[in-house]
Amino acid sequence: MPKNTTKEKTGSDLYAEWVEIPRSFIESALQIKTEDQRRILFEFNNVQNMLYQKIDAIRQQKKPVRIIILKARQEGVSTFTEGMIFQDTSLKPNVNSLIVAHEPESTEAIFEMSKLFYDMMPKLIRPLKRYDNKKQLVFDNPDEKARVEKPGLRSRIVIATAGKVKIGRGLTIHNFHGSEVAFWKDGKELMLSVMQAIPDLPNTMVILESTANGFGGDGEYFYNMVQDARSGKNDFELIFLPWHLMPKYSIPFSSEEEKTKFTETLDVYEKEIQKSFNLKLKQLNWRRWAIKNKCGGDTDKFKQEYPITIEEAFVASASTVIPKQHIEAQRKFIREPIDKLDGDVLIYGHVKNNHYYSLGGDPSEGAGRDDSAFTVIDKMTGREVAHYANNRIPPDLFAKKMVKTAEYFQNAIIVPEINGHGIAVLNELQKLEYPNIFRQRYYDHTSKQWTRRLGWKTTKITKPLMVDEFKEGLREEEIGMSSAATVGQMLTFVHTNEAGHHGMGAETGQKDDRLISAMLAWQGLKDLPSEFIYD
């Protein structure tokens, strides 16, 4: 795109072009500071170009921009977003923009960036006045036409720190940027008040971005937002920006000999990501350097700060029950559903006449808290072929839906958990006379002998058994989960002392119903033949 064309055009010409094409304004009129403190014209990098194209495509559809970005460090996301907000606010009247950062230092840095945008802006198009007290930029009559026809119009950019933001009643916000959302205190409450001030109109933009901060504590809100966006449960579109998108994250070799020696030392994980993401050796060379020099030799910290997959970004918790490498390995099995059964049961694989199937079901009361979830696994492949979760379905209707799905998969064996509301589900399964219900082996202390009972009862003895056998299946890659939501729950399944969890369960504020249903289905496979038996 041509640069420095401002001298050839009048203020009106520039305004007409720049208000219509944000990129033209940003790359021709705005300047940024480099890492060595030089001032240069803002020119989009790979990531910024990708984000601009995404926003432009949304606006072409006349839709409001609602984006959540999970990113690696230092990709230029904040700089890009401030440029987009500055363009909209400095060139148009009556635009209110709010930027919230996670700490005072970041707030100050964003404010200084925005002031530099203004200071270096061409005088022909610069708004008449600027106020920069209290981290605000207030523009008087930004539209040149408005200066003559409607004097007194204003637009403003307010820059604040999370925890110190107060959204007034009646305030309308047109642009909002949430920076490093995973590190906000009380992020959910802040976002509720902000979103109430933003009209659902095509001329509004909301961009939330952050590196990961685990899935508990301050990071819980951002983690949940990412997972909900990923599964289509909120209005945000998820954009994931792994580290390898940035050309600067590479270190060339000094000689072919050095390159050869490096190749010989690649470990299994490095070879896997090299193949999966078509990485160059100089990118892997940078990765090793960054682990040592940026992350103190902590590989998990590197994965959190510079992830290559969404799962990797959140997997840094030390208390995760399922080994991190097993969770990461599941990404190659995740896929989109190919069909739906009964309106809302996700189908990932076609029924095969010579295969056996197991359906594990984890019931809830259906009161809007925990999900009632079930998972169907193919005995012959170990792949998840169907999935369902709903927090409003009553136990009896959940049982009916399980039966309908099990019948679809050739009378799959049903493994219902019979703790709590599971008793009602089991009773309904028996009332429906479903013939293929799992029988759990257990020791009867009254009769002092081993026997079996319908369903699966989770206890302090049986839960570790169920979890350990599922982990073994993951380790040997005998299990392949199709549902991204289930793999996501593996990340938040942790060691805990909370009552009723038998030593392990979902992190506070998270769920494990989908994962438990998969573990139950895995148990059911043990009661099925390894080869199909024809009648």
Side-chain angles (χ1 to χ4, degrees):
M1 181 171 294
K3 305 287 192 305
N4 293 324
T5 58
T6 57
K7 293 182 180 179
E8 303 170 9
K9 299 181 180 181
T10 66
S12 297
D13 290 337
L14 288 174
Y15 174 80
E17 176 185 333
W18 287 350
V19 78
E20 186 68 25
I21 309 172
R23 181 169 189 165
S24 177
F25 170 77
I26 292 170
E27 293 197 317
S28 298
L30 300 187
Q31 294 190 24
I32 59 174
K33 282 187 178 181
T34 63
E35 293 180 358
D36 58 359
Q37 299 302 302
R38 291 182 299 112
R39 285 203 305 263
I40 61 171
L41 275 174
F42 192 154
E43 185 173 358
F44 287 171
N45 63 28
N46 290 1
V47 163
Q48 293 164 342
N49 185 57
M50 181 189 307
L51 292 174
Y52 184 81
Q53 290 177 352
K54 172 60 68 174
I55 291 173
D56 188 54
I58 294 172
R59 286 176 168 170
Q60 292 293 331
Q61 300 174 48
K62 306 297 183 183
K63 293 166 58 179
V65 175
R66 302 289 184 265
I67 290 174
I68 185 165
I69 301 169
L70 173 61
K71 63 177 187 176
R73 290 235 176 252
Q74 298 177 325
E75 293 182 311
V77 174
S78 288
T79 305
F80 166 81
T81 308
E82 295 353 315
M84 292 291 289
I85 286 177
F86 190 87
Q87 181 269 346
D88 197 53
T89 315
S90 68
L91 298 185
K92 300 176 185 177
N94 294 330
V95 175
N96 294 317
S97 300
L98 174 62
I99 301 166
V100 176
H102 68 300
E103 60 183 5
E105 292 81 359
S106 297
T107 304
E108 184 66 36
I110 292 172
F111 184 52
E112 291 302 318
M113 183 194 307
S114 299
K115 287 201 297 182
L116 179 63
F117 287 163
Y118 179 86
D119 290 339
M120 305 308 296
M121 191 177 178
K123 291 182 180 180
L124 284 172
I125 202 69
R126 188 185 298 170
L128 292 181
K129 292 182 181 180
R130 178 190 72 175
Y131 304 89
D132 57 21
N133 60 313
K134 296 182 181 180
K135 301 294 185 295
Q136 291 189 67
L137 295 177
V138 183
F139 306 112
D140 278 358
N141 303 328
D143 180 348
E144 186 183 47
K145 186 177 180 181
R147 296 174 195 173
V148 178
E149 297 180 359
K150 297 179 180 179
L153 295 177
R154 284 184 172 180
S155 292
R156 72 185 64 228
I157 299 175
V158 179
I159 304 169
T161 305
K164 299 182 180 180
V165 184
K166 294 183 180 180
I167 309 300
R169 290 184 179 274
L171 176 68
T172 299
I173 299 173
H174 303 94
N175 299 299
F176 177 71
H177 173 206
S179 178
E180 294 295 349
V181 177
F183 298 86
W184 288 2
K185 302 285 186 185
D186 302 320
K188 183 176 182 179
E189 288 70 21
L190 173 56
M191 279 303 300
L192 281 173
S193 61
V194 168
M195 293 306 293
Q196 289 176 5
I198 303 173
D200 191 29
L201 296 173
N203 66 334
T204 60
M205 179 175 71
V206 179
I207 297 180
L208 308 180
E209 49 87 359
S210 188
T211 49
N213 186 24
F215 40 73
D218 293 342
E220 179 183 337
Y221 173 74
F222 182 70
Y223 172 79
N224 288 339
M225 284 287 289
V226 167
Q227 296 303 325
D228 287 348
R230 195 177 189 184
S231 57
K233 290 185 177 180
N234 59 30
D235 294 331
F236 284 80
E237 184 167 349
L238 174 63
I239 297 177
F240 174 57
L241 301 173
W243 65 265
H244 63 89
L245 295 179
M246 295 294 291
K248 69 177 181 178
Y249 291 154
S250 63
I251 297 179
F253 297 94
S254 59
S255 66
E256 283 300 316
E257 182 182 1
E258 182 188 11
K259 184 176 181 181
T260 300
K261 288 182 178 179
F262 180 86
T263 305
E264 292 171 351
T265 63
L266 291 178
D267 60 28
V268 174
Y269 176 80
E270 289 171 325
K271 290 177 181 177
E272 179 188 337
I273 62 172
Q274 180 188 27
K275 180 179 179 181
S276 298
F277 302 100
N278 196 28
L279 300 184
K280 298 177 181 178
L281 286 173
K282 62 182 181 179
Q283 291 176 295
L284 292 173
N285 194 26
W286 175 85
R287 180 181 179 274
R288 282 194 192 177
W289 174 88
I291 290 172
K292 178 181 178 181
N293 295 281
K294 287 179 171 287
C295 302
D298 188 337
T299 302
D300 282 341
K301 182 173 178 59
F302 175 85
K303 290 179 179 179
Q304 181 175 339
E305 302 283 300
Y306 300 93
I308 203 163
T309 67
I310 294 175
E311 290 73 30
E312 193 170 273
F314 293 105
V315 80
S317 171
S319 60
T320 301
V321 171
I322 298 173
K324 300 163 190 176
Q325 65 269 27
H326 301 343
I327 301 174
E328 293 167 8
Q330 283 294 302
R331 69 172 181 264
K332 59 176 165 287
F333 298 114
I334 294 174
R335 52 183 170 172
E336 294 297 318
I338 59 174
D339 201 356
K340 288 185 179 180
L341 176 68
D342 200 26
D344 51 7
V345 178
L346 302 180
I347 303 297
Y348 295 99
H350 296 293
V351 180
K352 296 182 179 179
N353 293 331
N354 59 345
H355 284 211
Y356 289 110
Y357 299 91
S358 175
L359 184 155
D362 184 14
S364 73
E365 61 181 325
R369 292 187 288 272
D370 291 338
D371 287 325
S372 288
F374 64 71
T375 297
V376 181
I377 296 179
D378 185 332
K379 167 74 176 185
M380 278 60 179
T381 65
R383 296 300 307 273
E384 178 185 16
V385 292
H387 186 76
Y388 172 82
N390 188 304
N391 64 4
R392 289 289 180 183
I393 188 169
D396 62 320
L397 296 182
F398 181 61
K400 289 184 173 79
K401 192 171 284 285
M402 282 200 295
V403 167
K404 187 167 185 177
T405 305
E407 289 175 342
Y408 176 80
F409 284 99
Q410 302 194 130
N411 288 324
I413 188 170
I414 293 180
V415 189
E417 186 178 48
I418 58 173
N419 299 60
H421 299 282
I423 294 295
V425 170
L426 178 60
N427 290 340
E428 185 67 25
L429 291 174
Q430 292 177 292
K431 190 186 301 182
L432 294 169
E433 298 183 346
Y434 188 74
N436 200 10
I437 302 175
F438 177 81
R439 292 177 176 271
Q440 183 183 26
R441 188 171 182 267
Y442 76 104
Y443 185 76
D444 188 330
H445 291 280
T446 303
S447 63
K448 296 184 179 180
Q449 57 184 326
W450 287 94
T451 185
R452 286 184 177 266
R453 62 184 164 214
L454 287 173
W456 175 277
K457 187 170 184 178
T458 301
T459 68
K460 63 181 181 181
I461 295 174
T462 63
K463 189 169 189 176
L465 170 69
M466 177 176 69
V467 172
D468 286 345
E469 292 186 351
F470 190 77
K471 285 162 59 177
E472 181 184 354
L474 292 174
R475 184 185 69 235
E476 301 301 325
E477 293 197 355
E478 296 171 346
I479 300 172
M481 302 308 299
S482 302
S483 167
T486 302
V487 175
Q489 289 191 357
M490 293 182 194
L491 298 171
T492 58
F493 191 70
V494 299
H495 295 287
T496 177
N497 293 321
E498 289 188 29
H501 286 283
H502 306 299
M504 59 193 84
E507 173 88 10
T508 302
Q510 303 299 324
K511 296 180 179 181
D512 61 7
D513 318 277
R514 300 170 188 261
L515 178 58
I516 294 298
S517 74
M519 292 180 178
L520 292 168
W522 189 247
Q523 286 298 309
L525 296 181
K526 294 192 298 184
D527 277 12
L528 296 174
S530 297
E531 295 183 5
F532 194 81
I533 301 172
Y534 293 91
D535 294 334

